[in-house]
Amino acid sequence: MLLLLHGALGDRTTLYPLREALDASVGMATELLEFDGHGASAAAGGAIRLDRLVTQTLDVLAASGPRHLVGYSMGGYVALVAATRAPALVRSVFTLGTKLRWSPDVATDAVTQLHPDVMRAKVPAYAAQLAARHGDSHWAAVVRGTADALRALGDAPLLTEDTLGMIRCPVRITLGDRDRTVPLEELRWLLSCVSTASACVWPDTPHPLDRAPLPLIADAIRAFLSAYRDDGSSPAPHASLARD
């Protein structure tokens, strides 16, 4: 069973194209997890914190049994942290465009554009997209909450040399060669910390998931998971997650 985790400012709908590619290539049941405070749950409010999202993910895994995690951007960070905290619940981790190293300076740079008024003025189409995704009355709070979460992550990163050393499952870190969010050096850093990790770089690919070569990525995920399929292992019974 694959569990897909979306990126910052996203919701489950942003993962639909990837799920479709996986359904065609992998032949394994795929579910989507929508993080608390995003999409349909944005109206409930509450602080957005990476720790909270990791806990939500682990709660799903505890109820469903171990799963393979595929995370885009922030979702990949959550997946890796989950693997450090509950190794028995995470079969493998495959990330796409995940920023791995955080500091106060990095966080300050990352949140520069995360201001709702600025977004309305400079990227109105994107602001409208966020309003449709999280609700007209709630999308600005999601943006501000994400900025707060990244600042908190910069002050206290959840992935360090020590925590990454706790990962025991297979890990594949992938990145587009035109991704301006994640330096290639971060892949080398993680490879030096996680003995079970490998890396892949997608050609002519920027950060946004909707510009990624999804059929190629789906085939790579299938190959990555082939060992689990060849040895006869099967996913444990799972809790219900929306596939809408």
Side-chain angles (χ1 to χ4, degrees):
M1 175 68 67
L2 292 176
L3 182 62
L4 306 189
L5 309 179
H6 63 77
L9 303 182
D11 68 347
R12 64 164 52 94
T13 68
T14 60
L15 295 171
Y16 284 176
L18 176 59
R19 185 183 64 188
E20 291 175 3
L22 287 169
D23 285 348
S25 178
V26 176
M28 181 182 288
T30 303
E31 302 285 359
L32 311 177
L33 177 61
E34 185 163 272
F35 288 130
D36 290 340
H38 298 74
S41 68
I48 297 173
R49 290 290 185 271
L50 269 291
D51 252 326
R52 176 185 175 189
L53 306 185
V54 172
T55 298
Q56 179 189 1
T57 303
L58 291 177
D59 286 346
V60 170
L61 298 178
S64 69
R67 298 200 192 189
H68 304 284
L69 303 183
V70 176
Y72 166 64
S73 195
M74 179 187 73
Y77 197 95
V78 170
L80 289 167
V81 177
T84 72
R85 296 186 178 177
L89 292 178
V90 181
R91 292 188 176 216
S92 68
V93 175
F94 192 107
T95 74
L96 307 166
T98 293
K99 176 73 180 170
L100 300 167
R101 304 194 78 169
W102 288 87
S103 68
D105 288 345
V106 168
T108 297
D109 289 342
V111 304
T112 300
Q113 302 300 321
L114 293 182
H115 298 283
D117 291 340
V118 173
M119 297 171 88
R120 287 190 190 96
K122 292 189 174 182
V123 283
Y126 184 52
Q129 186 181 75
L130 292 178
R133 184 179 299 162
H134 304 292
D136 288 335
S137 302
H138 310 294
W139 75 272
V142 174
V143 172
R144 288 190 290 267
T146 298
D148 290 342
L150 296 183
R151 292 188 190 97
L153 189 61
D155 291 336
L158 303 181
L159 293 178
T160 65
E161 286 84 353
D162 290 339
T163 59
L164 286 169
M166 300 175 185
I167 294 179
R168 297 292 178 265
C169 67
V171 173
R172 176 68 53 82
I173 305 295
T174 76
L175 177 67
D177 62 352
R178 299 182 186 277
D179 192 324
R180 298 181 179 179
T181 303
V182 188
L184 283 172
E185 289 75 13
E186 294 194 9
L187 273 65
R188 301 187 184 98
W189 173 69
L190 185 133
L191 292 175
S192 72
C193 298
V194 182
S195 62
T196 57
S198 57
C200 177
V201 177
W202 310 111
D204 302 316
T205 302
H207 185 75
L209 187 60
D210 59 5
R211 296 178 62 186
L214 296 184
L216 180 63
I217 290 170
D219 286 344
I221 293 173
R222 175 181 52 78
F224 177 65
L225 298 176
S226 62
Y228 294 93
R229 303 179 68 186
D230 293 342
D231 69 8
S233 62
S234 59
H238 62 281
S240 177
L241 291 176
R243 280 182 58 90
D244 51 40

